[in-house]
Amino acid sequence: MIEELLPDEVVVVEAHAGDGTEPGPLYPEEAEVVSRAVAKRRHEFALVRTCARRAMEKLGVPPQPLLPGERGAPRWPAGLAGSMTHCDGYGAAAVVRVTDLASVGIDAEPDQPLPDGVLDAVFLPGEAARLRRLAEDRPEVHWDRLLFSAKESVYKAWFPLTGRWLDFTEADIEVSAGAGRPRHGGFRAELLVPGPVVDGRRLGHFEGRWTAQRGLVATAVTVPHPA
């Protein structure tokens, strides 16, 4: 699913409920991180790391611990960039060599409306207005949840490049629906604060893609090296 949203150089491994994928064992230092967590959290933590290690293996990188760093972002081995996501019944990891992409961010959410009050708390007025127009044209998509996911993917791509927090209101995201593919499309995130510097150039926006299928909405952002 998320694999459809990313270029070929990104290796994606996904696990859907019922597909037989089980979490592999954690390294001791990983197990310590979630030693006091509830069973659901430990399962999700292990599942996405199993996906990530399988993706790393496809790139020729040996299995190793993937510990959370600052603000919970995973610390990837040298030479790799990546992102992980999980929600009920689903987990995924996307890994790429930093020589191919500067950063990547993925997110998956249940294809359901956001809880009451969330939209007004995290979306800009212009974003909310655009969502209402999209909902009128294509009510089959939960656009509020999709935009929330897009903001999560933007942040996951942003943080490894900057080491700084990015508030939901510091990126103005415009979502577009794909022609002839009503449950696929793209989005553009205009950064409202100074963007990361990649290869000597400061970026002003990120680009991403989305899909809604199998009871989920999923988004992905890639940050290429400037030409």
Side-chain angles (χ1 to χ4, degrees), residues 106-167:
I106 63 171
D107 185 72
E109 304 281 338
D111 191 6
Q112 301 170 1
L114 284 174
D116 291 341
V118 174
L119 190 149
D120 292 335
V122 302
F123 295 160
L124 297 166
E127 292 174 327
R130 292 193 293 267
L131 285 189
R132 287 191 288 271
R133 291 195 293 270
L134 284 167
E136 290 174 359
D137 292 339
R138 298 193 177 182
E140 69 275 11
V141 177
H142 293 114
W143 296 101
D144 56 347
R145 183 74 72 163
L146 175 56
L147 182 56
F148 181 87
S149 178
K151 285 183 177 279
E152 289 286 328
S153 285
V154 166
Y155 174 75
K156 290 178 181 181
W158 157 280
F159 187 79
L161 298 174
T162 65
R164 302 196 309 272
W165 177 255
L166 182 71
D167 192 80

Side-chain angles (χ1 to χ4, degrees), residues 18 41 49 65 79 85 104 109 112 166 195 210:
R41 165 63 176 152
R49 277 156 178 79
T85 186
V104 60
E109 304 281 338
Q112 301 170 1
L166 182 71
W210 65 268

